[in-house]
Amino acid sequence: MLEKLDTREIMDLYAEETIREKFMNSLICYAKNIDSTEMINLFKYLDFLGLKKMKSDFQVAFTQIAEIYDR
């Protein structure tokens, strides 16, 4: 049973969820403080990690939130 456990898959899922949580926290920070610094840094990290699709998806969501808050 243990040999069927793919630890890489588990780590990938954990990392993805951790990044998504960071994104949501950055959105909340932006909405509260009108400060996009955390979001800009997150986009830089995603570039560094080569996660271009995730970055693109997050940018679309961030743009929509920014439009809602008129910023």
Side-chain angles (χ1 to χ4, degrees):
M1 176 113 178
L2 203 51
E3 61 275 356
K4 293 182 180 181
L5 183 63
D6 185 352
T7 55
R8 180 172 180 190
E9 182 178 328
I10 291 171
M11 291 303 294
D12 288 349
L13 291 173
Y14 176 75
E16 184 175 329
E17 289 304 313
T18 301
I19 293 168
R20 290 185 185 284
E21 181 180 357
K22 177 65 176 166
F23 173 69
M24 294 304 296
N25 287 329
S26 296
L27 277 179
I28 292 167
C29 180
Y30 173 77
K32 287 182 179 179
N33 303 314
I34 315 167
D35 182 7
S36 60
T37 304
E38 280 191 36
M39 195 63 66
I40 291 167
N41 287 334
L42 178 61
F43 292 151
K44 288 178 185 177
Y45 297 141
L46 293 174
D47 277 337
F48 176 77
L49 295 171
L51 300 172
K52 297 193 184 308
K53 172 73 170 112
M54 183 179 279
K55 178 188 174 190
S56 176
D57 293 345
F58 287 172
Q59 283 177 318
V60 169
F62 177 63
T63 299
Q64 292 172 343
I65 295 298
E67 287 175 2
I68 290 169
Y69 284 92
D70 242 355
R71 299 185 176 69

